[in-house]
Each structure stands twice: as C-alpha cells, then as structure tokens.
C-alpha cells in the first residue's frame, strides 16, 4: 500500500483523502435519513392519537 502512495500524483491508485470524504458524505446522508424517519414517525404517531373535533353521529 505504501508503494502506491509513493507514486507521482497523477499515477496514484489510492488517495488517502477520498476515504475520509466518502465516510463524511455517507455519515451526513445517514444522519439526514434518521432525522427524516424520526420526524415522520413522530408526526404520524401524533396524528393517530388525535380525537376528532366533533364526534360522529
């Protein structure tokens, strides 16, 4: 692995910065997904618990 990092800048196969960027992007996407699912769950649970303003009949 160190031999691939020692090559000239245009010839490098592995670039150490891209892994960090990829992990950061995936972490942000997962966090946004968790927030969206949590907000959806909270909104749907509060709507189910509401009683109608006027009783039927």
């Amino acid at each position: 692995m160190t031999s691939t990092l020692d090559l000239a800048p245009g010839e490098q196969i592995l670039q150490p910065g891209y892994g960090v960027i990829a992990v950061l992007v995936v972490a942000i996407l997962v966090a946004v997904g968790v927030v969206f699912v949590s907000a959806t769950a909270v909104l749907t649970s509060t709507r189910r618990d509401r009683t109608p303003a006027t009783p039927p009949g």
Side-chain angles (χ1 to χ4, degrees):
M1 183 164 148
T2 55
S3 64
T4 59
L5 295 175
D6 292 337
L7 296 173
E11 298 174 357
Q12 287 180 347
I13 298 171
L14 299 174
Q15 304 231 345
Y18 289 141
V20 175
I21 293 171
V23 168
L24 183 63
V25 168
V26 170
I28 289 171
L29 290 175
V30 168
V32 168
V34 167
V35 168
F36 177 74
V37 169
S38 298
T40 304
V42 167
L43 290 176
T44 57
S45 69
T46 56
R47 287 184 182 171
R48 269 189 255 142
D49 293 339
R50 289 184 188 170
T51 55
T54 56

